[in-house]
């Protein structure tokens, strides 16, 4: 039984989850993020507010453990799959360093690098490559997170970029179903990751998500943000609602998002010639957007399904129904 719990601080809501064994949720909860940001590099007053919100959520949800696994927003880290000639571990360390030097805009002593080998052909005949998933976190960023946890009275067990936890949280759902494109639409960012079970092929993050939609509605109809949020939740991007007015307001953003999805599809088919993406697995609060599935099916030609991270895990019906928002928190709680 993991002694730690998962904490996913999203820009609109904080999620917490602790497992008991593999099949039971011991504690779970969600609360509004009072500062509306997830980068944690905050002025003192806001930081205090967020610390209090996290503490209250821990208490309310009944988590007793102090040990936490926390996710860092994908937008603050550099992660990519490197394809390298087959080599030994020590050689790999310097090859990765060299490769990252070319792409990461930070001096080598200001980043922390971690990696996992995701595919290593047994022996090299010809020019087979090994695939390594590499993550570089600026030291400044991880320090901010560790300091935040200290303020909250928590012990960091591990801090990881959210793509990893997202893929892990949904691995029970995606297993045995070919290649899936997980699309996590939150408030600030849409995270995309192409997976086959737990293997990650590629990821992509774009700042086109729920909050941008709400702002567009607010501007188009000259209404306050909270009312625009309400409109979005009631009418979604369903063309048949209010004469298609909300759909028309949001279709530009949808199209831009589809362009990004197609980039991912092209990238994938260029690197994995004998595989194809079978479906989009929708998660995050944006998955609740009415009509979104239909728009994605129409514009991408892929199957689109709602992700269910809980699958065979026992959890209260209410939480199961909002499973899409807990995918990352569950992945954090499951552990490596
Ligand atoms: N019923 C609904 N219809 C449309 N959108 C919804 C609905 N419910 C929630 N949302 C949207 O989902 C978003 C919040 O989702 P989520 O909790 O996954 O985000 P987050 O994790 O806080 O954000 P991020 O990951 O971008 O930092 C908000 O923009 C909210 O408007
Ligand atoms: Mg999120």
């Amino acid at each position: 039984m993991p002694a730690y719990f998962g904490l996913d601080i999203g820009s609109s809501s904080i999620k917490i989850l602790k497992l008991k064994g593999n099949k039971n949720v011991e504690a779970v909860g969600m609360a509004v993020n009072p500062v509306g940001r997830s980068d944690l590099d905050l002025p003192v007053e806001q930081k205090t507010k967020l610390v209090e919100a996290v503490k209250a959520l821990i208490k309310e949800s009944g988590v007793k453990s102090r040990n936490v696994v926390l996710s860092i927003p994908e937008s603050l880290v550099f992660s990519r799959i490197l394809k390298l000639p087959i080599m030994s571990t020590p050689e790999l360390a310097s090859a990765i360093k060299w490769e990252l030097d070319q792409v990461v805009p930070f001096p080598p002593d200001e980043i922390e690098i971690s990696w996992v080998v995701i595919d290593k052909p047994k022996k090299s005949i010809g020019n087979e490559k090994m695939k390594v998933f590499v993550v570089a976190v600026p030291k400044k960023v991880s320090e901010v997170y560790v300091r935040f946890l200290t303020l909250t009275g928590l012990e960091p067990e591990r801090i990881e970029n959210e793509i990893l936890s997202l893929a892990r949280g949904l691995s029970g759902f995606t297993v045995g179903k070919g290649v899936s494109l997980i699309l996590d639409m939150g408030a600030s960012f849409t995270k995309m990751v192409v997976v086959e079970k737990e293997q990650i092929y590629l990821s992509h993050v774009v700042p086109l998500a729920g909050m941008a939609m709400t702002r567009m509605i607010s501007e188009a109809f000259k209404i306050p943000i909270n009312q625009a949020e309400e409109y979005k939740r009631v009418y979604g991007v369903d063309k048949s609602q209010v004469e298609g007015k909300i759909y028309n307001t949001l279709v530009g953003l949808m199209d831009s998002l589809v362009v990004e999805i197609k980039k991912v599809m092209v990238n994938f088919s260029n690197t994995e010639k004998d595989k194809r993406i079978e479906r989009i697995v929708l998660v995050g609060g944006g998955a609740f957007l009415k009509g979104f599935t239909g728009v994605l099916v129409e514009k991408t030609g892929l199957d689109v399904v709602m992700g269910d991270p809980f699958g065979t895990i026992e959890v209260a019906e209410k939480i199961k129904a909002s499973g899409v928002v807990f995918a990352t928190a569950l992945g954090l709680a499951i552990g490596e």
Side-chain angles (χ1 to χ4, degrees):
M1 175 170 110
Y4 47 80
F5 65 96
L7 176 63
D8 169 21
I9 303 179
S11 54
S12 77
S13 65
I14 311 163
K15 297 87 166 170
I16 190 172
L17 196 146
K18 181 160 186 325
L19 285 175
K20 185 177 169 190
N22 298 326
K23 293 268 166 254
N24 285 286
V25 173
E26 184 178 287
V28 57
M30 180 163 136
V32 169
N33 177 337
V35 301
R37 279 168 58 177
S38 57
D39 61 308
L40 304 196
D41 194 9
L42 302 162
V44 177
E45 213 174 290
Q46 292 202 8
K47 197 171 278 186
T48 313
K49 263 194 187 167
L50 189 57
V51 164
E52 289 313 316
V54 171
K55 279 184 176 169
L57 179 60
I58 291 173
K59 202 166 168 197
E60 188 188 303
S61 56
V63 168
K64 300 279 184 306
S65 168
R66 296 281 101 194
N67 295 56
V68 64
V69 182
L70 181 76
S71 55
I72 300 194
E74 205 58 31
S75 51
L76 299 179
V77 307
F78 301 87
S79 69
R80 67 176 59 198
I81 311 274
L82 297 179
K83 283 190 169 181
L84 300 163
I86 298 169
M87 58 177 86
S88 66
T89 307
E91 285 173 318
L92 193 57
S94 50
I96 287 172
K97 248 189 161 149
W98 190 87
E99 291 275 344
L100 284 185
D101 266 1
Q102 320 300 310
V103 292
V104 175
F106 284 94
D109 58 340
E110 287 178 24
I111 53 170
E112 285 159 9
I113 303 168
S114 57
W115 71 85
V116 260
V117 175
I118 52 178
D119 187 26
K120 188 174 183 179
K122 289 245 160 37
K123 53 182 175 207
S124 170
I125 347 155
N127 52 1
E128 272 117 335
K129 301 264 168 133
M130 59 193 287
K131 275 187 259 167
V132 191
F133 183 67
V134 182
V135 182
V137 183
K139 280 187 182 151
K140 261 200 204 144
V141 171
S142 55
E143 277 162 17
V144 165
Y145 277 76
V146 170
R147 240 181 286 134
F148 179 83
L149 290 178
T150 311
L151 284 176
T152 320
L154 298 172
E155 228 8 87
E157 175 86 20
R158 188 158 42 88
I159 296 182
E160 72 179 15
N161 59 318
E162 61 183 325
I163 288 293
L164 281 178
S165 10
L166 182 62
R168 196 185 301 116
L170 284 161
S171 60
F173 184 78
T174 54
V175 65
K177 295 182 192 149
V179 181
S180 303
L181 192 167
I182 299 172
L183 192 139
D184 174 2
M185 183 186 270
S188 304
F189 290 94
T190 293
K191 283 74 68 178
M192 293 176 230
V193 53
V194 180
V195 300
E196 190 173 18
K197 205 198 161 209
E198 265 184 60
Q199 167 155 354
I200 292 174
Y201 286 103
L202 63 100
S203 65
H204 187 45
V205 182
V206 289
L208 301 167
M211 195 58 219
M213 289 185 195
T214 304
R215 276 204 206 101
M216 289 172 89
I217 297 173
S218 162
E219 278 162 27
F221 296 90
K222 303 195 171 38
I223 52 175
I225 286 288
N226 53 356
Q227 197 181 346
E229 178 73 25
E230 183 80 23
Y231 272 37
K232 181 181 78 175
R233 292 192 186 207
V234 174
Y235 304 119
V237 285
D238 187 336
K239 282 182 208 170
S240 68
Q241 296 284 336
V242 285
E243 297 154 21
K245 281 184 189 153
I246 308 279
Y247 174 82
N248 291 337
T249 306
L250 299 179
V251 69
L253 187 146
M254 292 285 154
D255 285 340
S256 307
L257 188 63
V258 168
V259 167
E260 299 299 325
I261 295 173
K262 289 193 171 158
K263 275 188 203 162
V264 170
M265 290 165 72
V266 168
N267 261 341
F268 180 74
S269 59
N270 284 344
T271 51
E272 300 296 328
K273 299 213 163 28
D274 52 345
K275 290 184 188 277
R276 61 180 211 100
I277 296 175
E278 306 278 344
R279 77 190 58 71
I280 294 179
V281 175
L282 268 188
V283 289
F288 290 123
L289 187 70
K290 281 188 195 131
F292 190 33
T293 303
V295 170
L296 289 178
V297 169
E298 183 190 316
K299 293 181 190 271
T300 65
L302 292 175
D303 267 355
V304 180
V305 295
M306 290 278 267
D308 175 16
F310 291 120
T312 56
I313 296 173
E314 258 181 59
V315 66
E317 208 41 53
K318 196 175 132 227
I319 300 291
K320 194 167 166 59
S322 50
V324 287
V325 295
F326 285 102
T328 303
L330 176 67
L332 291 163
I334 291 172
E336 287 172 297

